[in-house]
């Protein structure tokens, strides 16, 4: 029998539960190891010493199983992504109607596609050259090996490309990039001056003020203020979603009823919408509101033609001021009392413009980015120009005009799609002054879909260039001061309407990707990173809650420069799409007050509605049927190929730059490309129902 090995007494110092176990072996095969102290037997043992071949095999099999599972998960995810893209492409075939209207812009998209194919081909050459160690340009002397040193046809093609790139392509890109960088710095300086002017206004608390309080009296009729005659116009066209809330808001304006007339200028070609608007006007007319409905049989000139037709009415001659609100605008009841008194004792004041505020600014990423741009436009551009120059572009709505200023400036003209900017420029040339009220805000909507936003931006950027062609002779020959002419031509039109979209598209969407394939023309880090980020920081200052979106804002603006540049070119050269007007689709978002008013109206009984409208039961039934929400059309997840092509191009350019990365800005470019792609996918997702 083998001797018993009992170690229970060795650790007597420690208290251990359980019964000691004695192990006895009949055929002992062991060696005696000398242990210096009792605790040594219970010390941790190196695990690797106790592993045998079978254990190692099981560990390797387990790791291989995990790796295979990870690969399978990635493959499943990739397959699902491909399936989703396939479905979206199939669905897109059913939405060809909208794409047919965009056929005029296919040329630019074809150029971008060709540029992408060329870039990918060059990228393949660059990757192969990189992994084969063909680094010819690490030496500034640009040493190119002799032909006798070159082995292989592919190597010869690559070296030929390097020579052609260095001698012919790089100088052209460098010259164009220097020109665009100079324009970029000029525009950044202009933006800095505007921001400094805004800071000065805030610091000095400068703003237009009304002398005293003309409405301070217990008896309104006994107050010293002589209420002028005010005409309110609401132009609209097929505005089913928003007509009711805009008419309701305007009819609740706090102004003597006998001194106020509301014109609903309906250009709708849908008879059902016409019936709804007529019924709404009749409802408010029964309540004692002085409101009329106008519908043109010949719908020419878009919004300008609609306003021109309304101003030609004989009864308009009895009114002194006209306030204009688009169909989605909801002014507060005290709007006229905050704006009209500014005209008193200021005979050369032609326009009082209020600020827009947005009821759906937090609806999605697109509305948040639009809110950043529009807040800067009103808080900085409009306010600074109004305080220091008494001139800015009329925003087309939420403003009050002196009718005499409109008449002396030539009235509404149908020659462009930016009739608001047109009348503002002509009024400025006639010597009229403008006031911008940053603290008077009017609720409205911004487009919630990318398609509507893109069409709106096309109109906003093609119209000014078309107008510039028409107004340039009148500006030069006008009698205003030379510095005002310079401000109109150099700053208002050229710098902010032409140069801005030109350098944004050329520098960040053409030259930046090209420099990844032509390293000799590489842009400085401050041009592609530091200055754009700083300027984006300034743009977001008027909307501080939007700071988390600074990077998507910067990148999205660069991507949108394609649409803006295309629109600018079409307006400058008077192409077919420069006079294209598409009504911006509204979602019909309501403010809290509108919702309460709607609930109050819904609580009325059918009998009360019958009395107010003087309608029969069958007519009410028909009206309710028309007023019901239309059958929702299935919204399709459209893929905007032009924007995603550009995003993919910048992404591949960033990957190429990482192959020769020597600075952190290349990682920023990679992040830029990825964010472009994510923003594009987010905008695509907004088209889903």
């Amino acid at each position: 029998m083998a001797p018993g090995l009992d170690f229970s007494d060795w650790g007597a110092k420690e208290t251990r539960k359980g019964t000691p176990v004695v192990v006895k072996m009949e055929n002992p095969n062991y060696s005696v190891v000398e242990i210096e102290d009792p605790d040594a037997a219970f010390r941790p043992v190196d695990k690797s010493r106790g592993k045998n071949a079978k254990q190692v095999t099981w560990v390797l099999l387990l790791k291989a199983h995990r790796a295979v599972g990870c690969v399978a998960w990635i493959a499943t995810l990739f397959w699902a992504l491909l399936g989703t893209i396939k479905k979206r492409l199939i669905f897109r075939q059913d939405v060809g109607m909208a794409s047919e209207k965009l056929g005029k812009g296919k040329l630019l998209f074809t150029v971008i596609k060709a540029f992408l194919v060329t870039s990918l081909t060059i990228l393949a050459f660059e990757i192969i050259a990189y992994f084969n160690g063909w680094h010819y340009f690490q030496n500034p002397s640009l040493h190119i090996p002799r032909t006798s040193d070159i082995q292989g046809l592919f190597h010869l093609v690559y070296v030929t490309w390097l020579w052609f790139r260095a001698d012919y392509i790089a100088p052209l890109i460098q010259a164009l990039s220097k020109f665009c960088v100079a324009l970029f710095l000029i525009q950044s300086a202009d933006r800095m001056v505007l921001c400094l002017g805004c800071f000065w206004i805030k610091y000095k608390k400068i703003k237009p003020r009304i002398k005293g309080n003309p409405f301070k009296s217990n008896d309104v009729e006994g107050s010293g203020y002589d209420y002028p005659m005010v005409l309110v116009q609401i132009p609209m066209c097929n505005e089913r979603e928003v007509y009711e809330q805009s008419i309701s808001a305007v009819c609740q304006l706090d102004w003597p009823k006998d001194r106020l007339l509301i014109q609903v200028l309906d250009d709708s070609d849908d008879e059902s919408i016409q019936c709804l608007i007529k019924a709404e006007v009749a409802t408010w007319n029964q309540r004692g509101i002085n409101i009329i409905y106008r519908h043109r049989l010949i719908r020419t000139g878009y919004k300008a033609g609609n306003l021109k037709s309304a101003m030609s009415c004989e009864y308009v001659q009895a009114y002194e001021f006209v306030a204009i609100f688009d169909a989605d605008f909801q002014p507060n009841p005290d709007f006229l009392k905050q704006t009209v008194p500014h005209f008193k004792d200021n005979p050369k004041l032609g326009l009082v413009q209020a600020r827009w505020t947005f009821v759906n600014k937090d609806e999605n990423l697109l509305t948040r980015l639009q809110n950043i741009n529009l807040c800067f436009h009103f808080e900085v551009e409009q306010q600074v120009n109004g305080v220091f120059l008494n001139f800015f572009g009329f925003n087309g709505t939420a403003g009050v005009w002196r009718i005499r200023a409109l008449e002396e400036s030539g009235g509404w003209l149908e020659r462009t799609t930016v009739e608001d900017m047109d009348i503002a420029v002509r009024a400025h040339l006639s010597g009229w002054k403008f006031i911008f009220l940053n603290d008077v805000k009017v609720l409205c909507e911004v487009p919630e879909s990318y398609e509507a936003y893109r069409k709106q931006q096309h109109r906003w950027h093609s119209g000014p260039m078309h107008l510039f062609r028409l107004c340039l002779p009148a500006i030069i020959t006008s009698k205003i001061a030379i510095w005002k002419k310079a401000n109109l031509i150099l700053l208002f039109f050229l710098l902010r309407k032409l140069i801005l979209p030109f350098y944004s598209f050329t520098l960040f969407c053409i030259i930046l990707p090209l420099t990844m394939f032509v390293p000799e023309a590489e842009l400085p880090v401050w041009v592609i990173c530091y200055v754009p980020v700083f300027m984006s920081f300034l743009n977001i200052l008027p909307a501080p809650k939007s700071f988390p979106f600074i990077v998507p804002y910067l990148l999205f603006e660069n991507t949108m420069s394609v649409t803006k540049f295309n629109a600018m070119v079409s307006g400058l050269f008077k192409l077919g799409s420069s006079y294209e007007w598409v009504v911006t689709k509204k979602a019909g978002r309501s403010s809290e007050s509108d919702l309460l008013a709607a609930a109050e109206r819904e609580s009325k009984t059918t009998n009360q509605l019958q009395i107010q409208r003087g309608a029969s039961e069958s007519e009410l039934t028909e009206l309710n049927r028309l007023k019901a929400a239309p059958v929702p059309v299935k919204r399709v997840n459209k893929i905007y190929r032009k924007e995603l092509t550009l995003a993919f191009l910048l992404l591949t350019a960033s990957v190429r730059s990482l192959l020769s990365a020597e600075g952190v800005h290349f990682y920023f470019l990679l992040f830029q490309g990825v964010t472009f792609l994510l923003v594009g996918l987010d905008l695509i997702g907004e088209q889903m129902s």
Side-chain angles (χ1 to χ4, degrees), residues 261-305:
L261 173 64
I262 301 173
Q263 286 181 321
V264 178
L265 312 177
D266 182 25
D267 259 3
S268 303
D269 54 5
D270 189 333
E271 293 185 359
S272 63
I273 299 178
Q274 294 178 25
C275 293
L276 293 174
I277 298 175
K278 287 179 182 178
E280 185 69 18
V281 171
T283 301
W284 287 101
N285 205 345
Q286 290 288 338
R287 297 181 184 179
I289 303 298
N290 193 10
I291 181 172
I292 61 175
Y293 173 87
R294 281 182 54 87
H295 179 75
R296 293 192 300 163
L297 297 178
I298 302 176
R299 300 167 57 250
T300 58
Y302 303 117
K303 181 180 176 181

Side-chain angles (χ1 to χ4, degrees), residues 508-509 553-562 646 672 676:
F508 295 107
C509 298
Y553 168 74
L554 169 64
L555 305 178
F556 177 70
E557 280 299 299
N558 288 340
T559 306
M560 277 304 299
S561 62
V562 178
L646 177 60
Q672 177 183 12
F676 265 128

Side-chain angles (χ1 to χ4, degrees), residues 147-210:
T147 307
S148 59
D149 299 333
I150 301 175
Q151 298 177 355
L153 178 61
F154 182 79
H155 204 172
L156 176 62
V157 172
Y158 181 66
V159 172
T160 304
W161 155 247
L162 294 179
W163 167 76
F164 181 78
R165 185 179 77 184
D167 289 352
Y168 295 98
I169 298 180
L172 294 176
I173 297 178
Q174 288 174 344
L176 183 60
S177 64
K178 290 179 180 178
F179 177 67
C180 290
V181 168
L183 297 179
F184 177 41
L185 293 179
I186 293 173
Q187 197 274 335
S188 300
D190 173 65
R191 191 63 58 94
M192 280 290 299
V193 171
L194 289 175
C195 291
L196 291 176
C198 183
F199 292 148
W200 181 257
I201 291 173
K202 295 293 183 182
Y203 176 71
K204 291 293 186 178
K205 298 181 180 180
I206 303 173
K207 67 176 183 178
R209 302 179 187 275
I210 302 174

Side-chain angles (χ1 to χ4, degrees), residues 63 90 98 106 156 338 512 553 565 574:
K63 292 184 177 181
I90 293 176
K106 288 184 178 179
L156 176 62
Q338 290 183 313
L512 177 59
Y553 168 74
F565 177 79
K574 205 175 181 179

Side-chain angles (χ1 to χ4, degrees), residues 1-4 22-28 30:
M1 294 292 291
V22 179
V23 181
K24 297 183 180 181
M25 295 179 290
E26 296 182 356
N27 298 319
Y30 59 89

Side-chain angles (χ1 to χ4, degrees), residues 240 243-244 272 276 279-280 283 601-602 609 613 620-630:
R240 177 189 291 270
Y243 77 93
E244 188 174 4
S272 63
L276 293 174
E280 185 69 18
T283 301
R601 287 196 300 270
E602 290 296 330
L609 288 173
R613 299 182 183 180
L620 284 174
T621 304
E622 179 65 17
L623 185 60
N624 290 332
R625 185 187 67 81
L626 293 175
K627 203 170 184 178

